Amino acid sequence: MDLKPRPNHQIYIEVLRKMTPEQRLLKAFELSEFGKQLFLHGLRQRYPDLSEEEIKKIYLERLDKCHNRNY
């Protein structure tokens, strides 16, 4: 049951299927890096008085909390 309409989802799937495995992997890396940059940007906005070193410490601590420890 979809609660949110996704009118472009079919187009998105078709685009992904047309990509080579290498292109999909590169896109995954790009999206991962984009997510990390958004996270850092959010931390900088939330803690504007902290130094870049302190932001990096919080960033790494929070990433460590999210890491899957099943591996």
Side-chain angles (χ1 to χ4, degrees):
M1 176 178 180
D2 264 343
L3 300 177
K4 180 178 174 184
R6 299 182 300 173
N8 297 319
H9 183 70
Q10 188 61 36
I11 296 168
Y12 173 71
I13 297 299
E14 289 173 17
V15 168
L16 287 176
R17 286 184 177 153
K18 290 178 183 177
M19 296 171 96
T20 66
E22 180 183 11
Q23 288 172 321
R24 286 194 302 269
L25 183 60
L26 290 172
K27 184 56 71 177
F29 289 147
E30 179 185 335
L31 291 171
S32 178
E33 181 61 28
F34 183 64
K36 290 175 186 177
Q37 293 305 317
L38 282 174
F39 183 42
L40 277 169
H41 179 73
L43 287 174
R44 287 183 190 111
Q45 281 192 322
R46 186 170 183 178
Y47 305 106
D49 298 334
L50 295 183
S51 69
E52 201 56 34
E53 185 177 305
E54 293 168 313
I55 294 286
K56 186 75 169 184
K57 182 181 176 188
I58 293 171
Y59 171 79
L60 292 175
E61 287 171 354
R62 292 193 182 178
L63 278 184
D64 190 47
K65 287 181 182 179
C66 297
H67 185 71
N68 187 345
R69 295 187 192 332
N70 293 330
Y71 298 108

